[in-house]
Amino acid sequence: AVTLPFTEDFEVATGTFIGSEPAAYCRSEVSWSFETNRPLNGRLRFDYYPHNGTKAATLDVDSADNGKAVNYLVGTINMSNYDTSSTNFFLLSFFHRSHGDFEDPRDSVWVRGSNTDPWIGIYDLYANQVNGAFVQAQNIELKDILKNANQNFSSTFQLRFGQEGYR
C-alpha cells in the first residue's frame, strides 16, 4: 500500500503512446494506464510541457482527423491502509495546463474508491483553465468525496484525468 504523502512527478516516465496502453507507466506506488477512443491518434506523452522538472503527462491527439479524441490517464493506487472513517485528511493537489482547448464534458478529473465503483467527478479542467498557463488545483479532500458517494479507499483506488478534443 502507498504511504502518504505521495507525489507523482512523472520524472522517470518515458515515451509517447498512440492508442490505449494498459501499463503506460508503472512504479511501486501507482500504475498509470492510458485509454482512448481513437486508437490511431489518441496520444499520451511524457516528454512535453513540464511544470517543474523535465517531465509531465500530456493528453492530446497525434493529428486532427475531423474526429474528437476522448483520452483518459488512469492511476490505480493501493490505498487499502486508509479509510473514510478516519479523522485524517486526504488531499489531492496537482497542476494542469490547457493549450486552447474547447469546452468538453470530459476535460475533468474523477476518483473512485475501487476499480468497480462508479466514477465521481471532482474537478472541471476546462472551467479552471488559463490558456497556456499552469493552474494549481489545491487541497481537494478525497475522504469526504468518497464518503458522500458511499465509497471507501481500497487496493484499487483510482484517479482519472480526462481530455477531449480535436487537438
Side-chain angles (χ1 to χ4, degrees):
V2 72
T3 300
L4 300 178
F6 168 70
T7 300
E8 177 61 84
D9 58 15
F10 296 107
E11 282 300 306
V12 294
T14 59
T16 295
F17 299 93
I18 307 291
S20 296
E21 175 58 48
Y25 171 56
C26 300
R27 50 189 268 197
S28 62
E29 299 91 346
V30 60
S31 175
W32 292 100
S33 63
F34 175 58
E35 302 169 0
T36 183
N37 69 328
R38 307 292 294 185
L40 300 179
N41 70 353
R43 178 171 62 183
L44 165 65
R45 299 185 288 175
F46 288 114
D47 299 322
Y48 294 88
Y49 308 111
H51 171 261
N52 191 7
T54 61
K55 302 290 179 98
T58 301
L59 302 171
D60 61 8
V61 295
D62 185 39
S63 63
D65 67 349
N66 299 320
K68 268 189 179 182
V70 177
N71 297 319
Y72 296 114
L73 180 63
V74 180
T76 302
I77 306 167
N78 182 346
M79 298 275 291
S80 60
N81 286 347
Y82 305 100
D83 193 279
T84 57
S85 65
S86 168
T87 58
N88 295 327
F89 293 99
F90 300 92
L91 303 176
L92 172 68
S93 298
F94 58 90
F95 286 92
H96 63 95
R97 179 177 173 182
S98 175
H99 302 277
D101 206 8
F102 300 103
E103 183 173 8
D104 293 299
R106 293 179 190 98
D107 291 339
S108 294
V109 180
W110 300 264
V111 295
R112 60 184 178 179
S114 77
N115 63 348
T116 59
D117 287 333
W119 289 106
I120 307 162
I122 63 169
Y123 189 83
D124 185 327
L125 293 167
Y126 177 82
N128 292 289
Q129 73 173 329
V130 176
N131 190 31
F134 284 99
V135 174
Q136 185 176 19
Q138 295 186 43
N139 301 329
I140 301 169
E141 215 300 298
L142 299 177
K143 178 185 73 175
D144 291 339
I145 290 168
L146 290 176
K147 195 172 190 175
N148 291 338
N150 295 314
Q151 296 185 27
N152 204 342
F153 296 108
S154 75
S155 62
T156 60
F157 169 83
Q158 291 185 313
L159 168 66
R160 178 171 78 172
F161 294 90
Q163 181 268 336
E164 177 180 8
Y166 296 100
R167 53 181 163 181

